[in-house]
């Protein structure tokens, strides 16, 4: 499915949401199943007042990294920088937390509610350098849609 078609599906899931966790899970499953190079799709959220992220709904293999301190790994860095982070080749990163040996690249987009960075969507790919500006723009759309539920 095209990004355009996926945007309309995401909008419909959010517009018809009855349960936040379930809707986030459906979005993860949609993205993972429709975009061939999205091999793991998940949300992390700020864990209360702690300076750490906690894993939310995800689609893909289970990960040991259910808590990530701010500043650690790609996710922890985005919690601090408030900026998109596109990693074309995870091997080139020093501050990276490996979830699976098959992962070659990663993209993390922060999720803002009322201007505050409260979490993020994280995509792992088994393909090298697959992400373009279109992925960034699409995932920003997803985060902005999801924000209205939070
Ligand atoms: N690779 C991430 C950790 C989360 S897993 O990809 C699910 C990171 O470096 O922050």
């Amino acid at each position: 499915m095209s990004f355009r078609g996926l945007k309309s599906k995401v909008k419909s899931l959010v517009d018809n949401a009855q349960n936040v966790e379930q809707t986030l899970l459906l979005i993860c499953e949609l993205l993972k199943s429709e975009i061939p190079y999205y091999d793991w799709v998940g949300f992390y959220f700020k864990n209360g007042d702690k300076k750490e992220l906690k894993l939310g709904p995800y689609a893909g293999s289970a990960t040991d990294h259910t808590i990530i301190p701010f500043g650690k790994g790609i996710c922890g860095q985005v919690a601090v920088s408030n900026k998109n982070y596109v990693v074309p080749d995870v091997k080139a990163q020093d501050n990276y937390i490996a979830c699976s040996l098959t992962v070659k690249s990663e993209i993390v987009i922060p999720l803002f509610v009322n201007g505050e960075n409260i979490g993020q969507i994280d995509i792992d790919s088994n393909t090298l350098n697959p992400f373009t500006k279109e992925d960034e723009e699409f995932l920003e759309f997803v985060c902005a849609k999801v924000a209205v539920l939070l």
Side-chain angles (χ1 to χ4, degrees), residues 40 44 63 65 68 72-76 96-97 99 106 122 124:
W40 189 94
Y44 280 95
T63 172
H65 305 290
I68 299 179
K72 300 279 182 200
I74 308 302
C75 296
Y96 168 71
I97 303 166
C99 276
E106 179 162 3
D122 176 21
D124 283 345

Side-chain angles (χ1 to χ4, degrees), residues 15-149:
D15 289 349
N16 297 301
Q18 297 196 339
N19 172 296
V20 175
E21 293 274 310
Q22 181 64 16
T23 303
L24 295 183
L25 180 61
L26 289 172
I27 290 173
C28 291
E29 288 170 346
L30 174 74
L31 270 52
K32 181 178 181 294
S33 67
E34 291 294 333
I35 304 177
Y37 53 93
Y38 284 19
D39 293 295
W40 189 94
V41 179
F43 289 94
Y44 280 95
F45 292 103
K46 187 165 189 266
N47 192 13
D49 289 338
K50 297 182 188 157
K51 295 236 169 275
E52 64 184 29
L53 295 162
K54 187 173 178 206
L55 182 62
Y58 67 92
S61 310
T63 172
D64 290 341
H65 305 290
T66 53
I67 297 286
I68 299 179
F70 280 17
K72 300 279 182 200
I74 308 302
C75 296
Q77 291 178 76
V78 169
V80 177
S81 72
N82 307 322
K83 293 203 174 103
N84 296 351
Y85 202 153
V86 182
V87 181
D89 178 1
V90 296
K91 282 207 180 114
Q93 295 294 319
D94 291 332
N95 191 356
Y96 168 71
I97 303 166
C99 276
S100 150
L101 293 173
T102 59
V103 174
K104 293 202 167 69
S105 55
E106 179 162 3
I107 183 169
V108 179
I109 306 291
L111 200 164
F112 300 98
V113 173
N114 298 325
E116 188 194 346
N117 179 355
I118 59 111
Q120 51 194 236
I121 191 166
D122 176 21
I123 320 287
D124 283 345
S125 177
N126 298 339
T127 303
L128 201 59
N129 194 17
F131 302 114
T132 66
K133 276 278 163 205
E134 284 209 301
D135 292 275
E136 283 191 68
E137 195 267 334
F138 168 64
L139 294 167
E140 284 169 6
F141 173 91
V142 172
C143 285
K145 277 284 157 218
V146 162
V148 305
L149 297 174

